[in-house]
Amino acid sequence: MENREIARTLEDVADLLDISGANPFRVRAYRNAARTVKEHTRPLRAMVEEGADLTELPDVGDDISGYVEELVETGDLELLDELTEEVPYSLIELTRLPGVGPKKTKKLWERLGVETVDQLEEAAGAGEVQELDGFGARTQEKILSGIEQYRRHQERFRLSEADRLVAPLLEHLREHDGLERIEVAGSYRRRKETVGDVDLLAISDDGASLMERFTGFDRVEEVEAAGDTRGTVRLDSGLDVDLRVLPAESYGAALAYFTGSKEHNVRVRKRAVRRGLRVSEYGVYREEDGAGSAEAGDDAGDGSDPRSGERIGGRTEEEVYAAVDLPWIPPELREDRGEIEAAEAGELPGLVTRDDLRGDLQMHTTWSDGKQSVAEMMEACRDLGYEYLAVTDHSQSLGVTGGMDEEKLRRQWEAMDEVEDRVDGIRLLRSMEVDILADGSLDLADGMLEELDVVLVSVHSRFNLPADEQTERLVTALRHPQVDILAHPTGRLINQRDPYAFDLDRVLDVAAGEGVAVELNANPSRLDLRDTHLMKARERDIPVVISTDAHRAAELELISYGVEQARRAWLEPEAVLNTRPADELLAALPGD
Ligand code: DGT
Ligand code: CA
Ligand code: CA
Ligand code: ZN
């Protein structure tokens, strides 16, 4: 059992206790312990196996330590079973709806008998919710739109979640003797920020036994289909996985087909038809006279044999593209957003890679809400091969994060002077993630801003301002002469929070005018700006900075998600400021 799952179980206990009206201190104890477990870097499973004393962890006492051991050893928690005899488990889902929470959940359950999201939707739709005291028409409205947002966000998995869930499955399949090769196709290979399901392709001459191994994976909850060449399972996380088994000669064609996107494939097949060819998941075939369908659209269901005609290729993706007179196209571009035209003209972009980056320009340390020291972050960045980093702790208005006022910032600078003497081989830039206040002013005095190497600004509060006020707030901040970079510009959290309402085009116009850079926040929950927004920035020649916003050294690795998103936006190294050496980077930023 992973730390995440242990933490989730403890959170479930807290929610159920909270709904049942337990002592708030007891509820908080479970929540705090859940956070400790979630953030702990070592697997608690390993600690339990070693017989380590878990009570040495913050917020973990004798009771909770016992529960963690029970969970690790049995996979179950008797306490949870007892609680769900009193309080339906499905109520936990209600507490996660925007604007609901445990207190309201309790009332909805006791007064209306609501136990599920569906039942709540029905009750709110029928106007029953607004009749309860403490609710009212506005709350009911909010609950309905919250359910809608929740549903929209439930459907797809974040790419990083898919990565985490797929890795052990791939490992499990790779142990199979007859397996020659396996790869993940679909939106996962295109590195889309979320995936609907995961599409695996394998080469093996023993499909049946590979399929058996696939359906026998211990995280499989349900087998939806399982034949010799294709199967679909649902993992216990709710993620669906397709597996297709192919002969080696079809591998390239199948990889191209199942990588998609569908829109991209349609364009490729149209080109094939014009050349008297047929491209299917089995290969590239020359049409026999009269056998070709003039219809170039979707081949699924047109009734003809996808393997008819003389086979002329399909072992590699390059062969498929070459057959339609195109160079190989990187998966991140395969969205029919102009890549076919660019490929035809020999003008595919030379996409930015992880190795092009020379530094990371957003991270937090123990000076605010980060978990590691400046020295540790410097060393970690140096180990990643970077030439520089900017430490960007929060400013004072974010009190909960330990945000810094002037006096604390000065102390940080003094401490940094000393750290620089100890840590060699990497340059430390003085920076700060300065909060943009509601009126667009900045949360640090001008005299201090002037002394920073890089001024990063961002919004962390008042997400609900009317769109025109939010836009003005951002514009005012961008016009401040010391501002260099606008961090996580839309504020969205994938699957959790929509972007705040504002006019992005206008903000980008002002950024372009002021020479301010925009951040591509690489955290896989943010990816902000996203691909389509970055394309808007690219059109305006706005420089982009890819940063992790790491709160611990391990999170610096998440930079790869940012690079992938940048590639989906067609960004070349020249468009990304932190591909440049530090002096060039500083010269390119507007604030002096
Ligand atoms: P997802 O799973 O919603 O994140 O998106 P994809 O792109 O992974 O889509 P998926 O899993 O439905 O199918 C994987 C790929 O297989 C897709 O990108 C293109 C190809 N494909 C699937 N169904 C069709 C189809 O009906 N026609 C064509 N042309 N291609 C298809
Ligand atoms: Ca898929
Ligand atoms: Ca699929
Ligand atoms: Zn931030």
Side-chain angles (χ1 to χ4, degrees), residues 37-314:
V37 171
K38 193 159 58 189
E39 292 181 351
H40 199 65
T41 43
R42 276 203 69 203
L44 264 60
R45 177 180 31 78
M47 298 178 64
V48 169
E49 280 160 11
E50 284 165 15
D53 181 5
L54 299 180
T55 61
E56 284 179 1
L57 298 172
D59 298 309
V60 176
D62 287 334
D63 286 356
I64 291 178
S65 148
Y67 294 141
V68 171
E69 283 166 20
E70 184 186 342
L71 271 170
V72 167
E73 282 159 10
T74 69
D76 252 324
L77 190 60
E78 207 169 308
L79 172 66
L80 194 65
D81 297 337
E82 281 165 23
L83 286 169
T84 50
E85 274 172 30
E86 308 286 321
V87 182
Y89 186 79
S90 58
L91 289 179
I92 292 173
E93 208 180 352
L94 293 193
T95 66
R96 312 232 157 113
L97 291 172
V100 179
K103 303 278 171 301
K104 287 207 163 74
T105 298
K106 181 173 163 50
K107 197 172 270 180
L108 289 163
W109 172 49
E110 286 177 347
R111 304 279 298 278
L112 299 177
V114 163
E115 293 188 4
T116 65
V117 175
D118 285 344
Q119 289 168 357
L120 177 57
E121 188 174 29
E122 212 176 293
E128 290 167 24
V129 171
Q130 64 183 12
E131 302 300 321
L132 297 177
D133 42 279
F135 281 75
R138 268 198 59 192
T139 307
Q140 176 169 287
E141 209 37 55
K142 227 174 124 186
I143 286 176
L144 280 170
S145 70
I147 290 174
E148 200 180 299
Q149 187 172 332
Y150 179 76
R151 289 247 164 80
R152 219 170 336 116
H153 289 163
Q154 277 310 95
E155 288 160 13
R156 301 179 63 83
F157 282 72
R158 284 199 301 266
L159 185 57
S160 55
E161 292 174 313
D163 272 326
R164 187 177 58 81
L165 297 168
V166 166
L169 173 58
L170 289 177
E171 205 174 299
H172 171 80
L173 292 174
R174 283 194 177 113
E175 281 164 24
H176 184 74
D177 281 340
L179 184 74
E180 260 181 65
R181 207 172 151 178
I182 188 153
E183 204 154 343
V184 191
S187 51
Y188 178 96
R189 183 164 179 243
R190 304 197 309 279
R191 304 312 279 163
K192 213 171 148 167
E193 61 191 34
T194 60
V195 302
D197 73 354
V198 167
D199 306 277
L200 301 181
L201 287 186
I203 295 187
S204 167
D205 11 339
D206 189 0
S209 81
L210 181 64
M211 201 56 75
E212 213 167 286
R213 192 167 177 85
F214 176 58
T215 57
F217 179 54
D218 66 352
R219 310 308 298 265
V220 166
E221 189 174 78
E222 201 186 321
V223 177
E224 286 163 24
D228 286 358
T229 59
R230 56 193 303 172
T232 301
V233 299
R234 171 160 293 192
L235 302 182
D236 55 9
S237 51
L239 181 67
D240 283 330
V241 183
D242 285 341
L243 171 65
R244 288 174 183 85
V245 187
L246 296 133
E249 60 165 27
S250 293
Y251 196 67
L255 189 56
Y257 182 91
F258 292 112
T259 296
S261 67
K262 200 172 155 182
E263 293 74 17
H264 174 89
N265 288 353
V266 167
R267 295 287 308 275
V268 169
R269 279 205 304 275
K270 276 191 182 151
R271 290 177 70 87
V273 168
R274 269 187 257 124
R275 288 162 176 77
L277 303 174
R278 165 186 285 275
V279 171
S280 74
E281 63 268 49
Y282 299 100
V284 184
Y285 300 87
R286 188 169 307 284
E287 293 282 11
E288 277 143 13
D289 281 346
S293 59
E295 196 87 353
D298 213 314
D299 65 357
D302 73 358
S304 55
D305 179 358
R307 277 180 274 199
S308 67
E310 178 204 352
R311 189 190 151 86
I312 62 167

Side-chain angles (χ1 to χ4, degrees), residues 521-552:
N521 191 297
N523 187 298
S525 304
R526 288 193 182 269
L527 293 173
D528 183 6
L529 294 174
R530 61 169 304 171
D531 52 0
T532 50
H533 295 157
L534 291 164
M535 292 172 109
K536 287 171 181 270
R538 184 172 60 97
E539 281 164 22
R540 291 169 171 84
D541 280 326
I542 300 173
V544 173
V545 169
I546 308 176
S547 303
T548 57
D549 199 354
H551 284 64
R552 61 185 79 239

Side-chain angles (χ1 to χ4, degrees), residues 211-419:
M211 201 56 75
E212 213 167 286
R213 192 167 177 85
F214 176 58
T215 57
F217 179 54
D218 66 352
R219 310 308 298 265
V220 166
E221 189 174 78
E222 201 186 321
V223 177
E224 286 163 24
D228 286 358
T229 59
R230 56 193 303 172
T232 301
V233 299
R234 171 160 293 192
L235 302 182
D236 55 9
S237 51
L239 181 67
D240 283 330
V241 183
D242 285 341
L243 171 65
R244 288 174 183 85
V245 187
L246 296 133
E249 60 165 27
S250 293
Y251 196 67
L255 189 56
Y257 182 91
F258 292 112
T259 296
S261 67
K262 200 172 155 182
E263 293 74 17
H264 174 89
N265 288 353
V266 167
R267 295 287 308 275
V268 169
R269 279 205 304 275
K270 276 191 182 151
R271 290 177 70 87
V273 168
R274 269 187 257 124
R275 288 162 176 77
L277 303 174
R278 165 186 285 275
V279 171
S280 74
E281 63 268 49
Y282 299 100
V284 184
Y285 300 87
R286 188 169 307 284
E287 293 282 11
E288 277 143 13
D289 281 346
S293 59
E295 196 87 353
D298 213 314
D299 65 357
D302 73 358
S304 55
D305 179 358
R307 277 180 274 199
S308 67
E310 178 204 352
R311 189 190 151 86
I312 62 167
R315 187 171 281 272
T316 65
E317 282 195 326
E318 283 81 358
E319 281 180 14
V320 176
Y321 284 104
V324 296
D325 301 311
L326 292 176
W328 181 83
I329 298 175
E332 295 94 330
L333 297 183
R334 299 184 196 173
E335 299 289 349
D336 192 20
R337 292 197 288 220
E339 73 280 7
I340 302 275
E341 290 79 0
E344 175 150 54
E347 286 169 1
L348 281 173
L351 298 175
V352 64
T353 67
R354 161 73 186 74
D355 288 343
D356 292 323
L357 298 185
R358 294 174 193 254
D360 191 327
L361 295 181
Q362 183 176 181
M363 69 193 69
H364 301 263
T365 70
T366 46
W367 284 91
S368 63
D369 58 350
K371 301 292 178 210
Q372 276 163 315
S373 67
V374 172
E376 284 170 318
M377 296 307 267
M378 283 177 80
E379 284 160 3
C381 283
R382 189 186 57 196
D383 291 346
L384 287 174
Y386 290 149
E387 295 167 18
Y388 53 87
L389 72 157
V391 165
T392 56
D393 281 303
H394 288 289
S395 60
Q396 60 189 341
S397 76
L398 285 182
V400 285
T401 68
M404 301 190 291
D405 59 12
E406 280 186 29
E407 187 269 334
K408 191 170 172 189
L409 181 58
R410 282 195 192 285
R411 278 195 286 125
Q412 187 190 39
W413 290 344
E414 280 167 29
M416 283 176 163
D417 290 341
E418 185 270 328
V419 172

